[in-house]
């Protein structure tokens, strides 16, 4: 698994509970390029592996910037990063990967950010500015104190709208009202916590699917689960290896591949990061991820969480 060994060269407060980390090559080299919307996996002391969107300008190869919200009630990764990582430390990170790319050439880009979900949009905004693209950001947070990047966004003028709900979504942005009409040529991008994602998804249900782009940090509340009591086993056929393996109801495809000595790179293993994307050639997958678009689903599966409707799923492995 390829990892970059990066130096933490600066840490600053971006808002209440949010820290900005700057990562550079220890000997000053250029970092692998990335496109707006990309994220990196970060290995955090304590054995955590977390995905963070790059919020820096994609044209700047001298550093990566990530902004991290300290979530005391989360899984522990962000707390460990806040509490244990200091300037001068090294962090192992993956090369950038993009599951949330900009629709190049669209007439208009409408960005909806919920809290820390603004991070991938910071890189998008840099690119839109550079290209002179038509965009608008609606940035939803609890309060000004919890709103990161206010200085960086200060000159957006009429292209940014802040919505502070003080913890009550009814006081915040009228998402359904904003999205009631789809103007041809407009592309929608959204990212934020689970209730925000659910609200935008519902409000944009009538938009053309190819004009709607999103990135989940965590699976939605009441989302799909990779394994359920109703799941049955199936078989995977690996065409490159001329091998067929059984996937029992209580094991994932990745589990079965590992036991067979076949390593597939994974990161989140919950269907949100896109690392384990694998081509399938026949069979009917049951997609349980939050990354693939309807078009992607005709060609790809996320093998950390996909199941199969058919008896056999043929994988290009
Ligand atoms: Fe993240 Fe499969 S490992 S989607």
């Amino acid at each position: 698994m390829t990892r970059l060994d990066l130096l933490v060269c600066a840490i600053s407060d971006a808002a209440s509970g949010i820290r900005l980390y700057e990562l550079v090559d220890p000997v000053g080299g250029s970092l692998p390029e990335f496109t707006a919307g990309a994220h990196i996996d970060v290995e955090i002391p304590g054995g955590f592996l977390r995905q963070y969107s790059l919020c820096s300008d994609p044209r700047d190869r001298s550093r990566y910037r990530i902004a991290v919200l300290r979530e005391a009630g989360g899984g522990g990764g962000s707390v460990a990063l806040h509490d244990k990582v200091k300037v001068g430390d090294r962090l192992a990170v993956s090369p950038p990967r993009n599951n949330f790319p900009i629709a190049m050439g669209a007439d208009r880009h409408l960005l909806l950010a919920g809290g820390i979900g603004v991070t991938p949009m910071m890189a998008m905004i840099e690119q839109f500015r550079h290209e002179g693209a038509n965009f608008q950001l609606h940035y939803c947070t609890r309060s000004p104190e919890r709103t990161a990047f206010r200085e960086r966004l200060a000159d957006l003028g009429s292209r940014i709208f802040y919505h502070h709900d003080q913890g009550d979504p009814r006081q915040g942005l009228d998402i359904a009202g904003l999205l009631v009409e789809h103007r041809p040529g407009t592309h929608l991008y959204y990212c934020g916590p689970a209730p925000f994602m659910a609200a935008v998804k519902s409000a944009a249900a009538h938009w053309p699917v190819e004009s709607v782009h999103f990135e989940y940090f965590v699976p939605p509340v009441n989302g799909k689960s990779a394994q359920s009591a109703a799941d049955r086993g199936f078989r995977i056929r690996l065409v490159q290896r001329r091998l067929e393996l059984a996937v029992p109801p209580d094991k994932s495809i990745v589990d079965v591949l590992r036991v067979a000595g076949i390593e597939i790179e994974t990161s989140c293993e919950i269907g949100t990061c896109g690392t384990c994307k694998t081509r399938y050639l026949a069979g009917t997958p049951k997609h349980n991820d939050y990354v693939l678009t309807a078009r992607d689903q005709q060609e790809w599966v996320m093998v950390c969480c996909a199941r199969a409707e058919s008896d056999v799923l043929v994988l290009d492995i």
Side-chain angles (χ1 to χ4, degrees):
M1 196 180 300
T2 316
R3 284 281 184 258
L4 307 168
D5 173 36
L6 300 187
L7 174 73
V8 180
C9 72
I11 301 175
S12 56
D13 289 324
S16 174
I18 300 175
R19 281 205 185 131
L20 188 64
Y21 295 80
E22 288 194 21
L23 312 175
V24 296
D25 182 283
V27 294
S30 285
L31 299 177
E33 63 184 346
F34 73 96
T35 51
H39 70 269
I40 53 173
D41 299 340
V42 181
E43 291 182 17
I44 300 170
F48 302 98
L49 183 65
R50 293 289 183 270
Q51 296 80 42
Y52 295 109
S53 297
L54 295 173
C55 57
S56 39
D57 185 340
R59 290 168 298 160
D60 180 2
R61 302 266 305 271
S62 69
R63 69 201 59 238
Y64 292 154
R65 286 196 177 98
I66 56 172
V68 180
L69 170 67
R70 190 180 192 280
E71 294 183 275
S78 65
V79 171
L81 192 64
H82 271 241
D83 294 354
K84 298 204 173 117
V85 174
K86 310 278 181 261
V87 171
D89 288 352
R90 300 284 188 94
L91 287 176
V93 313
S94 71
R97 184 181 302 114
N98 199 344
N99 300 321
F100 193 31
I102 290 172
M104 303 300 288
D107 294 343
R108 181 170 174 265
H109 306 272
L110 179 60
L111 312 177
L112 269 61
I116 196 67
V118 76
T119 50
M121 293 171 191
M122 296 305 294
M124 292 179 179
I125 287 168
E126 296 288 356
Q127 182 152 347
F128 293 146
R129 284 171 140 163
H130 180 63
E131 293 175 355
N134 182 354
F135 71 93
Q136 192 176 74
L137 169 66
H138 287 265
Y139 187 4
C140 306
T141 66
R142 178 180 283 255
S143 63
E145 296 72 38
R146 297 217 186 173
T147 305
F149 305 116
R150 278 182 296 170
E151 283 176 21
R152 230 172 110 186
L153 296 169
D155 64 346
L156 283 188
S158 61
R159 291 179 293 184
I160 184 166
F161 296 85
Y162 290 102
H163 307 273
H164 304 304
D165 66 7
Q166 310 301 331
D168 178 359
R170 290 169 303 179
Q171 293 183 41
L173 170 65
D174 174 8
I175 295 171
L178 179 71
L179 301 180
V180 70
E181 187 186 339
H182 172 252
R183 244 167 67 191
T186 300
H187 280 245
L188 170 67
Y189 307 78
Y190 64 99
C191 184
F196 177 85
M197 298 298 281
V200 182
K201 181 181 179 188
S202 161
H206 60 292
W207 281 47
V209 285
E210 64 279 3
S211 66
V212 178
H213 315 268
F214 49 82
E215 184 159 72
Y216 283 88
F217 294 149
V218 291
V221 181
N222 300 324
K224 312 165 236 184
S225 80
Q227 279 118 26
S228 72
D231 269 327
R232 61 192 186 92
F234 56 97
R235 299 184 69 76
I236 48 173
R237 187 174 303 147
L238 314 180
V239 285
Q240 295 178 28
R241 289 176 168 79
R242 299 169 188 261
L243 188 64
E244 198 162 302
L245 299 167
V247 182
D250 62 340
K251 293 277 184 285
S252 71
I253 297 175
V254 162
D255 292 336
V256 169
L257 292 172
R258 278 193 189 126
V259 169
I262 300 165
E263 266 310 312
I264 295 284
E265 190 177 355
T266 64
S267 178
C268 70
E269 301 208 2
I270 51 173
T272 58
C273 77
T275 308
C276 65
K277 186 177 173 184
T278 301
R279 181 175 279 110
Y280 72 96
L281 304 171
T284 310
K286 183 180 166 206
H287 296 280
N288 290 314
D289 65 89
Y290 305 94
V291 178
L292 295 174
T293 63
R295 187 170 300 162
D296 290 338
Q297 288 181 352
Q298 293 168 16
E299 188 180 353
W300 304 95
V301 282
M302 294 301 176
V303 288
C304 68
C305 57
R307 310 294 298 169
E309 309 277 7
S310 50
D311 291 338
V312 179
L313 187 62
V314 182
L315 300 174
D316 190 12
I317 294 177

